[in-house]
Amino acid sequence: MKTSSCVKEALLYEQAGKKVRCKTCDRFCEIAIGKLGFCKTRMNIDGKLYTLEYGDISSISANPIEKKLFFHFFPGSKALTVGSYGCNFSCPWCQNWEISKSVPTRARNNYISPERFVQLVKENGCHGTSISFNEPTLLLEYSLDVFALAKKEGYYNTYVTNGHMSSDTLSLLVS
Ligand code: SF4
């Protein structure tokens, strides 16, 4: 499991007795060894918490920024937008249910490294990045790596989120 490029130790968790407590979103799941959190994208493997979907891309699209929930943000520009699987909500009406109610599996891995993603931003004539489609908070570790590289290249970075992230996650994203 840990040999997949999409499986990476989570940034935000702590020990909670025999379990680990995920500190990525505001559910703060306590997860026993071999079990998944509510979003089914984070697993306790031998006492450490791992994301199972680092760079596991379910969808990719060069979208006009006007499609997103921003007002007067780089008007006329395009953001290369990616998403993965899962959500920390369970809304029955989700328009992206095919990915939000799906779980990452190794059989379907479509790994795009942060370096390749930033190359694709350039190749697609985009002006920035966006993490969207499923809840981007679940891609925290990948987002931070992508955003750092993209920022160096002069691109903007955006998140289309339900906002239910922990304050630690928010601090990492805005630092
Ligand atoms: S990111 Fe997933 S595992 Fe972590 S607290 Fe939120 S729902 Fe639970």
Side-chain angles (χ1 to χ4, degrees), residues 84-116:
S84 187
Y85 301 96
C87 192
N88 54 356
F89 279 14
S90 56
C91 316
W93 53 79
C94 181
Q95 69 168 8
N96 285 347
W97 62 271
E98 284 163 306
I99 57 171
S100 70
K101 301 199 186 303
S102 196
V103 296
T105 79
R106 259 186 106 167
R108 192 183 43 195
N109 274 177
N110 183 28
Y111 178 67
I112 297 181
S113 70
E115 292 77 11
R116 178 67 186 137

Coordinates of all heavy atoms in Angstrom, one line a residue, residues 84-116:
S84 N -9.9 14.8 -7.1 CA -9.6 13.4 -6.8 C -10.9 12.7 -6.5 O -11.9 12.8 -7.2 CB -8.6 13.3 -5.8 OG -8.2 11.9 -5.6
Y85 N -11.0 12.0 -5.3 CA -12.2 11.3 -4.9 C -12.6 11.6 -3.5 O -11.7 12.0 -2.7 CB -11.9 9.8 -5.0 CG -11.6 9.3 -6.4 CD1 -10.2 9.2 -6.7 CD2 -12.6 9.1 -7.3 CE1 -9.9 8.8 -8.0 CE2 -12.2 8.7 -8.6 CZ -10.9 8.5 -9.0 OH -10.5 8.1 -10.2
G86 N -13.8 11.4 -3.1 CA -14.3 11.5 -1.7 C -14.7 12.9 -1.3 O -14.5 13.9 -2.0
C87 N -15.3 12.9 -0.1 CA -15.8 14.2 0.4 C -15.9 14.0 2.0 O -16.1 12.9 2.4 CB -17.1 14.6 -0.2 SG -17.5 16.4 0.2
N88 N -15.8 15.2 2.7 CA -16.1 15.1 4.1 C -17.6 15.5 4.4 O -17.9 15.6 5.6 CB -15.1 16.0 4.9 CG -15.1 17.4 4.4 OD1 -15.7 17.8 3.4 ND2 -14.3 18.3 5.0
F89 N -18.4 15.7 3.4 CA -19.8 15.8 3.5 C -20.5 14.6 2.9 O -19.8 13.8 2.2 CB -20.3 17.1 2.7 CG -20.2 18.4 3.4 CD1 -19.4 18.5 4.5 CD2 -20.8 19.5 2.9 CE1 -19.2 19.8 5.2 CE2 -20.7 20.8 3.6 CZ -19.9 20.9 4.7
S90 N -21.8 14.5 3.1 CA -22.5 13.3 2.4 C -23.8 13.8 1.8 O -24.8 13.1 2.0 CB -22.7 12.2 3.4 OG -23.4 12.7 4.6
C91 N -23.8 15.0 1.2 CA -25.0 15.5 0.6 C -25.6 14.6 -0.4 O -24.9 14.2 -1.3 CB -24.8 16.9 0.0 SG -23.7 17.9 1.0
P92 N -26.9 14.3 -0.3 CA -27.5 13.3 -1.3 C -27.6 13.9 -2.7 O -27.8 13.2 -3.7 CB -28.9 13.0 -0.7 CG -29.2 14.1 0.2 CD -27.8 14.6 0.7
W93 N -27.5 15.3 -2.8 CA -27.8 15.9 -4.1 C -26.5 16.3 -4.9 O -26.5 17.0 -5.9 CB -28.6 17.2 -3.9 CG -27.9 18.1 -2.9 CD1 -26.8 18.9 -3.1 CD2 -28.3 18.2 -1.5 NE1 -26.5 19.6 -1.9 CE2 -27.3 19.2 -0.9 CE3 -29.2 17.7 -0.7 CZ2 -27.4 19.5 0.4 CZ3 -29.3 18.0 0.7 CH2 -28.4 18.9 1.2
C94 N -25.4 15.8 -4.4 CA -24.1 16.3 -5.0 C -24.1 16.1 -6.5 O -24.3 15.0 -7.0 CB -22.9 15.5 -4.4 SG -21.3 16.0 -5.0
Q95 N -23.7 17.1 -7.3 CA -23.7 17.0 -8.7 C -22.4 16.3 -9.2 O -22.4 15.8 -10.3 CB -23.7 18.4 -9.4 CG -22.5 19.2 -9.2 CD -22.5 20.5 -10.1 OE1 -23.5 20.8 -10.8 NE2 -21.4 21.2 -10.1
N96 N -21.4 16.2 -8.3 CA -20.2 15.4 -8.7 C -20.2 14.1 -7.9 O -19.1 13.6 -7.5 CB -19.0 16.3 -8.3 CG -18.7 17.4 -9.3 OD1 -19.3 17.4 -10.4 ND2 -17.9 18.3 -9.0
W97 N -21.3 13.5 -7.7 CA -21.4 12.3 -6.9 C -20.5 11.1 -7.4 O -20.0 10.3 -6.6 CB -22.9 11.8 -6.7 CG -23.5 11.4 -8.0 CD1 -24.2 12.2 -8.9 CD2 -23.5 10.1 -8.7 NE1 -24.6 11.5 -10.0 CE2 -24.2 10.2 -9.9 CE3 -23.0 8.9 -8.3 CZ2 -24.3 9.1 -10.8 CZ3 -23.1 7.8 -9.1 CH2 -23.8 7.9 -10.4
E98 N -20.3 11.1 -8.7 CA -19.5 9.9 -9.2 C -18.1 9.9 -8.6 O -17.5 8.9 -8.5 CB -19.5 10.0 -10.7 CG -20.8 9.5 -11.3 CD -20.9 9.9 -12.8 OE1 -20.8 11.1 -13.1 OE2 -21.2 9.0 -13.6
I99 N -17.6 11.1 -8.3 CA -16.3 11.1 -7.7 C -16.3 11.4 -6.2 O -15.6 10.8 -5.4 CB -15.3 12.1 -8.4 CG1 -15.9 13.5 -8.4 CG2 -15.0 11.7 -9.8 CD1 -14.8 14.6 -8.8
S100 N -17.3 12.2 -5.8 CA -17.3 12.6 -4.3 C -17.8 11.4 -3.5 O -17.4 11.3 -2.3 CB -18.3 13.8 -4.1 OG -19.6 13.4 -4.3
K101 N -18.5 10.4 -4.1 CA -19.0 9.3 -3.3 C -18.2 8.0 -3.7 O -18.6 6.9 -3.4 CB -20.5 9.1 -3.4 CG -21.2 10.3 -3.0 CD -22.7 10.1 -2.7 CE -23.4 11.4 -2.4 NZ -22.8 12.1 -1.3
S102 N -17.1 8.3 -4.3 CA -16.2 7.2 -4.7 C -15.0 7.2 -3.8 O -14.6 8.3 -3.3 CB -15.9 7.4 -6.2 OG -15.4 6.3 -6.7
V103 N -14.3 6.1 -3.7 CA -13.1 6.1 -2.8 C -11.9 5.8 -3.7 O -12.0 5.2 -4.7 CB -13.2 5.0 -1.7 CG1 -14.4 5.3 -0.8 CG2 -13.4 3.6 -2.3
P104 N -10.7 6.3 -3.3 CA -9.5 6.0 -4.0 C -9.2 4.5 -4.0 O -9.3 3.9 -3.0 CB -8.4 6.8 -3.3 CG -9.0 7.3 -2.0 CD -10.5 7.1 -2.1
T105 N -8.8 4.0 -5.2 CA -8.4 2.6 -5.2 C -7.1 2.5 -6.1 O -7.0 3.2 -7.1 CB -9.4 1.6 -5.8 OG1 -9.4 1.8 -7.3 CG2 -10.8 1.9 -5.4
R106 N -6.3 1.6 -5.7 CA -5.0 1.5 -6.4 C -5.2 1.0 -7.9 O -4.5 1.4 -8.8 CB -4.1 0.4 -5.8 CG -3.1 1.1 -4.9 CD -2.1 0.1 -4.4 NE -0.9 0.1 -5.1 CZ 0.2 -0.5 -4.7 NH1 0.2 -1.2 -3.6 NH2 1.4 -0.4 -5.4
A107 N -6.3 0.3 -8.1 CA -6.6 -0.2 -9.4 C -6.8 0.9 -10.4 O -6.7 0.7 -11.6 CB -7.8 -1.2 -9.4
R108 N -7.3 2.1 -9.9 CA -7.7 3.1 -10.8 C -6.7 4.3 -10.7 O -7.0 5.4 -11.3 CB -9.1 3.6 -10.4 CG -9.8 4.4 -11.3 CD -11.2 4.8 -10.7 NE -11.0 5.1 -9.3 CZ -12.1 5.2 -8.4 NH1 -13.3 5.0 -8.8 NH2 -11.9 5.5 -7.1
N109 N -5.6 4.2 -10.0 CA -4.7 5.3 -9.8 C -4.4 6.0 -11.1 O -4.0 5.4 -12.1 CB -3.4 4.9 -9.2 CG -3.4 4.8 -7.6 OD1 -2.5 4.4 -7.0 ND2 -4.5 5.2 -7.0
N110 N -4.5 7.3 -11.1 CA -4.1 8.1 -12.3 C -3.2 9.2 -11.7 O -3.6 10.4 -11.5 CB -5.3 8.7 -13.0 CG -4.9 9.5 -14.2 OD1 -3.8 9.2 -14.8 ND2 -5.6 10.5 -14.6
Y111 N -1.9 8.9 -11.4 CA -1.0 9.8 -10.7 C -0.5 10.8 -11.6 O 0.1 10.5 -12.6 CB 0.1 9.0 -10.0 CG 1.1 9.8 -9.3 CD1 0.7 10.5 -8.1 CD2 2.4 10.0 -9.8 CE1 1.6 11.3 -7.5 CE2 3.3 10.8 -9.1 CZ 2.9 11.5 -8.0 OH 3.8 12.3 -7.3
I112 N -0.6 12.1 -11.2 CA 0.0 13.2 -11.9 C 0.8 13.9 -10.8 O 0.3 14.4 -9.8 CB -1.0 14.2 -12.5 CG1 -1.9 13.5 -13.5 CG2 -0.4 15.4 -13.0 CD1 -2.9 14.3 -14.2
S113 N 2.1 13.9 -11.0 CA 3.0 14.5 -10.0 C 2.8 16.1 -10.0 O 2.3 16.6 -11.0 CB 4.5 14.3 -10.3 OG 4.9 15.0 -11.5
P114 N 3.1 16.7 -8.9 CA 3.0 18.2 -8.8 C 3.8 18.9 -9.9 O 3.3 19.8 -10.6 CB 3.6 18.5 -7.4 CG 3.3 17.3 -6.6 CD 3.5 16.2 -7.5
E115 N 5.0 18.3 -10.3 CA 5.8 18.9 -11.3 C 5.1 18.8 -12.7 O 5.0 19.8 -13.5 CB 7.2 18.2 -11.4 CG 8.1 18.4 -10.3 CD 7.7 17.6 -9.0 OE1 6.8 16.7 -9.1 OE2 8.3 17.8 -7.9
R116 N 4.5 17.6 -12.9 CA 3.8 17.4 -14.2 C 2.5 18.3 -14.3 O 2.2 18.9 -15.3 CB 3.4 16.0 -14.3 CG 2.6 15.6 -15.6 CD 3.4 15.8 -16.9 NE 2.6 15.6 -18.1 CZ 2.7 16.4 -19.1 NH1 3.5 17.4 -19.2 NH2 1.9 16.2 -20.2

